[in-house]
Amino acid sequence: MTLSSAPETAVVQHALRGSVLVVTIDHAPVNALNAAVRRGLIDAIDAADANAAVRAVLIVGAGRNFIAGADIREFGKPAVPPSLPEVCNRIEACGKPVIAAIHGAALGGGLEVALASHYRIAVEGAKLGLPEVQLGLLPGAGGTQRSARLIGAQAALSLMLSGRHVGAQDALRLGLVDRVGQSDDVFAEGLAYAHELIATHAAPRRTKNARGLADKEASAAAIAAARADTQKTARGLASPLKIVDCVEAALNLPFDEGLRFERERFLECRESPQRAGLVHAFFAEREAQKSPETRGAQPRALRSAGVLGGGTMGAGIAVALLDAGLAVTMIERDDASLERGRAHVEKVYDGSVEKGRMTPEAKARALQRFNGDTAYDALAGADLVIEAVFEDMTVKKAVFAQLDRVCKPGAVLATNTSYLDIDEIAASITRPQDVLGLHFFSPANIMKLLEVVVPARVTADVVATGFELAKKLRKVAVRAGVCDGFIGNRMLAVYRAAADHLMEDGASPYQVDQAVRDFGFPMGPYQVIDLAGGDIGWAARKRRAATRDPNARYVRIGDALCERGWLGQKTGRGFYRYEDGARIGKPDAEVEAIIDAERVRAGVTPRAFSDEQIVRRYMAAMINEGANIVHEGIAQRPLDIDATLMHGFGFPRYRGGPMHYADSIGLDTVLADIREFAKEDPLFWRASPLIVDLVARGKNFASLNQAA
Ligand code: 3H9
């Protein structure tokens, strides 16, 4: 019997099953709590209270999830009532027992709905969490107040500050749910629980009255510890400390006042640029996975892979593939090199075991799928081959000629080159349609970014296979066209040059690093050079020397350090000094003397830069090159640039990537900066035609994301 007038297509349906009102949230894809769902939930609870035949209410989600949270597409738009706190309060106030039956995601506002319910059951596979912190928010529908009362200050803080998801059993242990279902049939489990509660005359049990904060002293200590820790680790993020403040309010204030306090903090977060940046990041990394090819083509099968080269990159790629469950064959030129390659792979796994990220058994299982060979013929059955050999066109072509000879028809032949012309590699063999760029970032088993580089003659299903691989590897894939450096490294070359100009003009590398860190990057450019090895950039500069515009400004400071053998951490000296194997370097007066000498040689009179001036130039260079890359069609949309920089180059997520950041400060401001800087160096600071055009039309980068 259907109780309400809600049509079958409504996002919240409710129907009476015996004496249980079953409320089903059916709002694909993830049952996010938009205005219609919120309204529907209130209507359902009103209907339950109004009908004497209803003795309990069961809330379930249709599809694969309970509720993934607030609808984050609504943030930044005018608020539409009812608010989620009202919905949760209404659920909690219901006169009949309300049971939340959880499968899949119960995240953020989704878990808050469950916390406001009176009883909770989860089935295996459920994911519960309060991940708002990852979006620059805090649980804003009573979540900070109810979770602390339900599971105690320490556990609630840990959940909210980490944003982690917990499974059904962990949720039971924490006290987030009352029981775990015997089967994965969430509806049957929830209904059985509801009937049991009716049979035992269970009353509504309101979380606002739970006693998790009863031990005031222990709670206060947990809050103080979390605050101290957060002050150290928040790295510029505003919402973590506000979460701590809200839990403190839960301890010290009556429930309703605590709710009001939470609401105020939530609204501050919701209106903040950090929230806008993080929500943009969330969508950018999902949108980046979509390309014309993934929409139109089926990926090829991916079970076994070959990796050519057992150096750091090859081994990292092999580990990434093994971790994704593929069988991997590594090819090296001789037994000794193969042994070294195998040792590299083992070393990566040993590191994971040491850090407790992996058990020795899991390592053994992964290595069972690993084989090595010195003959290309061992790749005959591979679905995918990725070469990570020396960056030299002749060497790469020789490798591809062998792959062309031995690989089965339909095998995807990928190169991990960082800058070579993949069209040229593809044209050198008989099956250019199977050749793709898969550009990993070091360490390849850790770094999230994978550039899927699309040469002219590749077929769509091969590109779709690249994206499918990224999914298996849990990486963020970004589609890039062929050019020197693709998206990420091409931009890096330009913004590093801007940093070098600043350094030669008077800023110390230490000040540049500090300013860039203060902006939110984990490291400054000169620390990164020291970490990666100065010789990498040096080699790239030498390679480009022949094609460099002789009129372009060239800063020699990095070369001067490399010529002295100061290659960074691995040699104990680079831009910084690393005494006794230290990983954190100290400023080096001799480096400053070299910089001074180079300034004299270049005829530069050093001048002072503020940190703000440094960041303006660094960012303008990055944004301008990003715009060129979009303009040339190397990247599909500005959001692809954002995903690349956030996942491969440490760009702070809460700023949403360089293109989102540009929009946030105003493209006209960026253009004015570029034109100002161009007065000194018109060759380097040429405004991208895309920026000029967008500013002229009063548009921003986001308008291109939407249009694409
Ligand atoms: C919150 O709740 C605030 C409250 O405390 C306070 C309020 C007052 N909204 O990831 P997928 C879309 S903050 C709108 O590919 P999966 C997503 O964009 C929220 N859309 O699937 C994608 O769209 P498309 C706290 C959302 O199976 C599609 O759903 N909650 C939302 O790999 C599929 O997503 C969170 O932070 C949303 N909330 O993973 C949870 N979530 O098809 C965020 C997803 O057009 N979500 N979409 O590309 C997730 O972690 C994952 O999406 C989830 C599914 C685990 C649920």
Side-chain angles (χ1 to χ4, degrees), residues 148 175 292 346 412 442 469 534 700:
E346 293 224 17
V412 173
S442 193
L469 176 74
N700 60 10

Side-chain angles (χ1 to χ4, degrees), residues 29 64 68 70-73 109 112 132 135 139-140 283 286 290:
R64 288 170 42 218
D71 186 341
I72 50 191
R73 285 179 209 274
E112 291 178 294
E132 283 87 344
L135 298 173
F283 287 120
R286 280 167 178 75
K290 298 173 189 165

Side-chain angles (χ1 to χ4, degrees), residues 396-442:
K396 300 268 189 203
K397 281 185 181 170
V399 165
F400 270 81
Q402 292 297 326
L403 296 180
D404 200 9
R405 181 179 65 78
V406 303
C407 289
K408 67 182 181 189
V412 173
L413 309 181
T415 170
N416 177 53
T417 182
S418 303
Y419 56 82
L420 291 174
D421 181 349
I422 304 178
D423 285 318
E424 189 180 333
I425 298 176
S428 72
I429 64 168
T430 63
R431 34 175 141 171
Q433 73 279 2
D434 296 331
V435 176
L436 183 69
L438 289 176
H439 185 216
F440 289 79
F441 290 76
S442 193

Side-chain angles (χ1 to χ4, degrees), residues 31 73 189 450 485:
N31 298 335
R73 285 179 209 274
E189 292 288 342
L450 179 67

Side-chain angles (χ1 to χ4, degrees), residues 46-132:
D46 285 348
D49 270 340
N51 187 338
V54 174
R55 295 186 60 201
V57 181
L58 174 65
I59 304 181
V60 288
R64 288 170 42 218
N65 300 292
F66 179 66
I67 302 169
D71 186 341
I72 50 191
R73 285 179 209 274
E74 282 185 349
F75 296 145
K77 298 182 186 152
V80 180
S83 71
L84 195 56
E86 285 171 60
V87 175
C88 290
N89 292 344
R90 181 67 191 93
I91 293 171
E92 189 165 60
C94 183
K96 323 275 169 84
V98 181
I99 300 107
I102 298 167
H103 75 302
L107 299 175
L111 184 55
E112 291 178 294
V113 165
L115 292 174
S117 303
H118 305 143
Y119 299 90
R120 286 158 292 279
I121 178 170
V123 298
E124 293 297 346
K127 283 192 281 197
L128 295 86
L130 294 167
E132 283 87 344

Side-chain angles (χ1 to χ4, degrees), residues 205-269:
R205 189 191 53 174
R206 300 192 168 87
T207 307
K208 68 177 180 182
N209 301 326
R211 308 267 306 139
L213 296 172
D215 185 340
K216 286 226 153 207
E217 219 171 289
S219 305
I223 292 164
R227 179 169 286 126
D229 194 46
T230 305
Q231 272 157 350
K232 276 191 245 138
T233 55
R235 284 195 53 86
L237 281 175
S239 83
L241 271 176
K242 292 183 199 279
I243 289 174
V244 179
D245 292 344
C246 286
V247 174
E248 190 167 54
L251 179 65
N252 295 330
L253 299 177
F255 183 73
D256 287 344
E257 280 180 42
L259 276 188
R260 268 196 294 281
F261 183 88
E262 177 198 84
R263 185 71 183 161
E264 282 162 19
R265 302 291 86 73
F266 174 80
L267 293 178
E268 287 163 13
C269 292

